[in-house]
Amino acid sequence: MERSTIVRVHDGLHARPATRFVNLAKGFECDIELIKADKSINAKSSVKLMLLGVKENDEITVRATGADAAEAIEALIGFLENPHSGTFEINTAEKIKSVEVAPVANNTVSHSHLRGVAASEGLAIGKAFGFFPAVIDQENRTITKDAIPAELARLNQAFATVQDRMNASLEIDNLAASDRGIIAALKDIACDQDLVDGATTLVESGMDAISAVIGTTSRIASDFAAIDDPYLNARADDMNAVGRQICLALLGQNDVNLDAIPEGSILIAEDIGAWDLARAPLKRIAGIVCGRGGATSHVAIIARAHGVPAVLGLGSDVQRLSNIGTVAIDGNSGEVFEDPDQEIVARFQRKIAEATAEKHALSVFKDFIPKRADGTIIEIAANIGSLEEIEAAQEAGAMGVGLFRTELLFMRHMHLPSEDFQTETYAALATAFAPYPVIVRTLDIGGDKAVSGIDFPDEDNPFLGWRGIRMCLDRPDVFKPQLRALLRASAKGNIKVMLPMVSSIDEVHATRALIDECIAELKAEGQEYALFDLGVMIETPAAVLIAPALAREVAFFSIGTNDLTQYIMAADRLNPTVAKLNDVTHPAVMTAIEMTTTAGVQAGIMVGMCGEAAGRPDLIPTFIKMGLTELSMSPASIQRAKKCIQDFG
């Protein structure tokens, strides 16, 4: 069986989404191929998958042969067509900037001034801390035929040791979710069949294990470096870093670590593995300078996620920094100053003070409760899709959750999540944000993002098809366990529930009938439960036009500006040729928002917004004037939004 589709995964199948895709494929017994143009690869190999260079909007074919081929194709196509797949557990600070790498020969501007790749914004000045672990040489020793079995056993043990070490890293309690995702991707690379088979074949031919690993990882790294894509180019560094860890295991050694780095140091390295950096005491590191790497490398991603300025790609000039006292780096321009003079020090200190003041000015809004001039509280909440995102939302000062995307909960599993599992998840959310509300969106799945356990028909336009509340009402076997879980979890905290893709009042009535059935069942079973407020998302033109009638039936509205804009403008928001039409500020869209808000205010119900527009400082004053009292956004936008409301008054 085979099926073709257009890849909607953000930025394509780079390291982490490739890992998730491969893990999903490995859950099926059948043989699975991924085909792009005239190239076909084993879909259960992360390395081969990344080397295929699958980008967003590429056309690919999934081919499966075996007993569970139909289920495999359904699940994998659903993953590829989900535009959020590439962003699970990824902090917004990780968004990649395209940066041109200056040739190494031109790096030197003056005796004390170098220029590299601006990989993570910000400025820093501090004592240089050199991190230059010993190079592991490829000896290319020939071993006798009798010694090959023992060398193979040593190689296999090294692979197992690296897996154990990476598993231990993943169990670190304070490891950030974004770093955890990077380590998981590296762990998958370290056991990839292409790497294992390549090294094994070389040892079987009579090469020593260390040379076999270096040779194989170098070959694969070269393949990555040859791809015309900056993100996939950066995976060459990951492959070399993984090879180093396997070689260290073969030598019975642990790599040197950064535990001893002093507070406020500038880390100087030829290269540093993402595994090492993710486990390092990042709060002590003021800045990072590396000879290798670019803006799309995992080192850059980790630095951005933790707000550490970084300049990468200095080439051999980085060696000049290994024995100096002080370094100043500008992560905005890519400039690095060796032992800066007083003028440069003064300039950096002034800019750092200004940036710190701005950050501090926003941080004071973490616990700020924004209000309108009449004293009405404006709730600034977070949009999240997993429990791993709770910490970032809390740190930002989220006043609850305005949108919990339950489809991600369903898409992460090979089978439909159980009622008990859903109950635990929703209850954990309610507990984490108490006493603030957590608004849970019921399953918003359609033909554009399928899940295992639900068969979707082929639709020419799934955005106008069997999705959201339409699918849920047709599948009470899927919908009722979720409603039961939400009722049970409501006993643990302040949970509200909203229905997606509503276009008629009948859909609200039908949902209430199912809720009543669930309540009766829970009572009969002696299960603890509590009632929740039921609201609807306003994202279809039909919902806007019947908003006054809907407002009499529900407890709140939440305006989903992403879908509302595409439906009002009749322009697919995933189609780049009509991207300019997806403008929330278009008079038609703003009129629809105002009509909805007026209907809700007149009915006395809460009106909120959970689309991307909710976090835009240029639009927030207008939304507040209209009467919105809840805005939900990514955690990174929360403090700025609170400040905007205060400034607006």
Side-chain angles (χ1 to χ4, degrees), residues 372 551 557 594-607 624-629:
R372 280 192 324 214
F557 286 161
E594 187 167 22
M595 289 172 60
T596 300
T597 306
T598 299
V601 171
Q602 290 179 348
I605 67 171
M606 185 273 282
V607 182
I624 301 301
K625 285 181 182 177
M626 287 180 180
L628 273 76
T629 57

Side-chain angles (χ1 to χ4, degrees), residues 256-325:
V256 293
N257 58 49
L258 292 163
D259 290 346
I261 189 168
E263 186 82 27
S265 297
I266 306 294
L267 173 61
I268 311 294
E270 171 62 35
D271 189 21
I272 180 170
W275 182 22
D276 297 307
L277 189 58
R279 298 176 301 141
L282 286 159
K283 290 185 178 179
R284 291 192 224 152
I285 299 174
I288 299 171
V289 179
C290 282
R292 299 178 62 181
T296 56
S297 68
H298 275 145
V299 172
I301 290 172
I302 293 172
R304 287 195 292 269
H306 292 272
V308 178
V311 176
L312 309 180
L314 257 69
S316 59
D317 281 335
V318 76
Q319 297 291 338
R320 285 170 46 181
L321 305 175
S322 59
N323 296 311
I324 64 171

Side-chain angles (χ1 to χ4, degrees), residues 418-424 426-428 430 480-493 495 497 518-519 521-523 525-532:
S418 68
E419 178 185 320
D420 287 344
F421 181 80
Q422 291 188 66
T423 301
E424 292 172 5
Y426 306 144
K480 283 184 66 177
Q482 183 173 43
L483 293 174
R484 283 172 54 100
L486 288 164
L487 286 164
R488 291 169 59 189
S490 292
K492 306 296 183 182
I495 286 180
V497 177
C518 293
I519 290 172
E521 292 169 0
L522 292 171
K523 281 183 178 178
E525 296 166 11
Q527 293 264 26
E528 183 183 18
Y529 73 93
L531 301 179
F532 49 69

Side-chain angles (χ1 to χ4, degrees), residues 16-35:
R16 280 163 291 176
T19 297
R20 287 188 289 272
F21 183 90
V22 167
N23 287 340
L24 183 59
K26 288 178 179 178
F28 297 96
E29 295 181 3
C30 60
D31 294 327
I32 304 171
E33 295 174 82
L34 196 67
I35 304 164

Side-chain angles (χ1 to χ4, degrees), residues 506-649:
D506 289 343
E507 290 164 336
V508 177
H509 291 165
T511 300
R512 287 200 182 279
L514 286 178
I515 292 172
D516 289 342
E517 288 182 22
C518 293
I519 290 172
E521 292 169 0
L522 292 171
K523 281 183 178 178
E525 296 166 11
Q527 293 264 26
E528 183 183 18
Y529 73 93
L531 301 179
F532 49 69
D533 283 347
L534 182 66
V536 296
M537 288 192 71
I538 303 295
E539 49 191 341
T540 66
V544 174
L545 295 174
I546 63 170
L550 278 172
R552 293 192 291 269
E553 300 287 338
V554 298
F556 64 93
F557 286 161
S558 184
I559 302 171
T561 55
N562 300 349
D563 272 337
L564 180 62
T565 301
Q566 81 164 341
Y567 292 135
I568 291 287
M569 300 304 297
D572 183 352
R573 60 189 172 98
L574 299 180
N575 186 342
T577 62
V578 293
K580 64 181 180 180
L581 293 175
N582 271 281
D583 179 10
V584 71
T585 65
H586 189 284
V589 182
M590 294 299 285
T591 297
I593 293 171
E594 187 167 22
M595 289 172 60
T596 300
T597 306
T598 299
V601 171
Q602 290 179 348
I605 67 171
M606 185 273 282
V607 182
M609 179 181 288
C610 60
E612 290 181 11
R616 286 181 54 171
D618 59 325
L619 296 179
I620 288 174
T622 301
F623 295 147
I624 301 301
K625 285 181 182 177
M626 287 180 180
L628 273 76
T629 57
E630 186 253 15
L631 298 169
S632 190
M633 61 201 67
S634 67
S637 301
I638 286 174
Q639 292 175 10
R640 193 172 300 279
K642 289 184 177 183
K643 180 181 185 298
C644 180
I645 295 171
Q646 185 202 47
D647 293 344
F648 170 64

Side-chain angles (χ1 to χ4, degrees), residues 103-123:
V104 173
N106 295 328
N107 276 348
T108 303
V109 177
S110 69
H111 177 69
S112 60
H113 182 192
L114 305 174
R115 186 182 296 276
V117 177
S120 180
E121 65 182 25
L123 294 93

